[in-house]
Structure formats: C-alpha cells, structure tokens
C-alpha cells in the first residue's frame, strides 16, 4: 500500500485538511498521515476553523491529532507533500540522503507543475484564508488521486 504524508508548520490547519481530503478520496487503499515541522501542537486536534471548513464540504478531520515530522518519516512514506517553502527547507534539513530528498515536493506542484507555489498559512487570517486553502488542497488531492490510480506514485 502506498503511504503519503502531508506536512505544514503546526499540523493543525493545512496538513490535517490535506490528509482528510486525500483520505476521503482514497478510503483505505492508501495510508495517509500528516505532520508539522514544529512540535507546538503535538497531540492537539486540528484548528476549529479547519474542522469547520472540512465539515462544510463533507470532510471530517476532527479525529486527527498533531505530531512533529521526524526523519524516520522518510522510511515510512513514499511521498512527502509540503505546503510552503519554509516547510520544504525544514523537511529537507532532516533528509539523510538523495532518496529521502526525492520524496519531498510542494503539494501545489501537482496542480502547477514546477512552480513551487505555497498554500498560504491561514492561521493568523480570517475565514477566507480557510476557504482558499480548501480550494487549493481539494484540487491538489484530486491530482494526487489520479497519480495514484495510474501508478505515478
Ligand atoms: P499550519 O498553521 O502550519 O497550517 O498548521 C499554523 C498553525 C499554528 C501556528 C502556525 C501555523 N503556530 O504558530 O502556532
């Protein structure tokens, strides 16, 4: 079974929603997880605003809990999707070799290949940031599903 982990800073806003969206689209056929590059929210449920935007579109993420990304995740997962450049740099710092590095990509590269665009951190903003995040992650996870289906992941 393929294994995919979504990574952001706190693991309470962006990556849990990305995980939940992918889980809702692939069911039990793929192992999904998420993590933060920081440990601030270890053990916490997602931000209530992320739970709310998910619920609005039928994606339940209330069972997910925060954890920090660790270098062993390079062994556990086939693909590591980051939300922004800071996440990218922080994950790469934990890579032990080129194989580890090759597993990491910006999630929006699935929609806009090679552009290294970020899913902006909605934590300090208003509701629109959560709506925008949802739209971006919905599109990106659709593309990930297609890749899984035809064996490109
Ligand atoms: P996330 O958002 O990386 O999408 O989970 C954040 C959540 C918490 C903090 C920063 C970003 N924080 O500084 O606590």
């Amino acid at each position: 079974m393929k294994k995919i982990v979504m990574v952001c800073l706190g693991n309470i806003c962006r990556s849990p929603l990305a995980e939940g969206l992918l889980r809702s689209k692939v069911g039990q056929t793929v192992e999904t997880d998420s993590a933060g590059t920081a440990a601030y929210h270890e053990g916490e449920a997602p931000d209530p605003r992320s739970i709310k935007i998910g619920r609005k579109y039928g994606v339940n993420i209330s069972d997910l809990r925060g954890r920090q990304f660790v270098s062993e995740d390079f062994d556990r997962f086939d693909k590591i999707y980051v939300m922004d450049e800071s996440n990218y740099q922080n994950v790469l710092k934990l890579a032990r070799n080129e194989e580890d590095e090759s597993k990491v990509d910006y999630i929006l590269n699935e929609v806009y290949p090679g552009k290294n665009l970020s899913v902006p951190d909605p934590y300090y903003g208003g509701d629109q940031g959560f709506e925008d995040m949802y739209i971006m992650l919905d599109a990106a996870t659709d593309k990930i599903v297609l890749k899984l289906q035809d064996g490109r992941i």
Side-chain angles (χ1 to χ4, degrees):
M1 194 181 351
K2 294 293 179 184
K3 302 182 180 72
I4 295 181
V5 61
M6 308 295 192
V7 179
C8 62
L9 172 60
N11 193 208
I12 55 166
C13 293
R14 292 167 290 177
S15 60
L17 188 63
E19 177 187 355
L21 269 161
L22 185 61
R23 180 174 69 176
S24 75
K25 294 173 189 189
V26 298
Q28 306 283 308
T29 63
V30 173
E31 186 175 321
T32 57
D33 196 9
S34 62
T37 58
Y40 318 134
H41 299 284
E42 197 88 55
E44 290 180 23
D47 186 288
R49 297 166 295 174
S50 276
I51 294 177
K52 187 173 152 206
I53 198 77
R55 187 176 294 134
K56 178 174 169 182
Y57 294 105
V59 179
N60 177 27
I61 61 168
S62 63
D63 59 310
L64 302 180
R65 294 294 177 268
R67 73 169 180 94
Q68 188 170 22
F69 184 87
V70 291
S71 56
E72 290 73 30
D73 286 318
F74 287 107
D75 299 323
R76 270 185 66 199
F77 294 96
D78 299 294
K79 195 84 200 170
I80 297 160
Y81 284 112
V82 300
M83 302 295 139
D84 64 28
E85 188 183 353
S86 157
N87 309 151
Y88 189 79
Q89 300 301 344
N90 285 321
V91 167
L92 279 196
K93 276 181 209 158
L94 296 173
R96 301 151 304 179
N97 51 47
E98 282 188 9
E99 191 192 345
D100 286 358
E101 288 174 12
S102 71
K103 294 183 175 182
V104 188
D105 200 3
Y106 290 79
I107 193 168
L108 283 188
N109 277 347
E110 297 297 354
V111 186
Y112 308 102
K115 298 238 184 288
N116 296 348
L117 295 176
S118 292
V119 179
D121 185 350
Y123 188 65
Y124 294 104
D127 283 349
Q128 191 58 45
F130 286 80
E131 288 281 352
D132 294 345
M133 167 182 71
Y134 183 88
I135 289 165
M136 290 179 230
L137 294 178
D138 187 33
T141 50
D142 276 348
K143 297 285 193 182
I144 292 168
V145 171
L146 289 177
K147 268 196 165 173
L148 285 162
Q149 282 170 349
D150 58 25
R152 284 176 293 141
I153 295 177

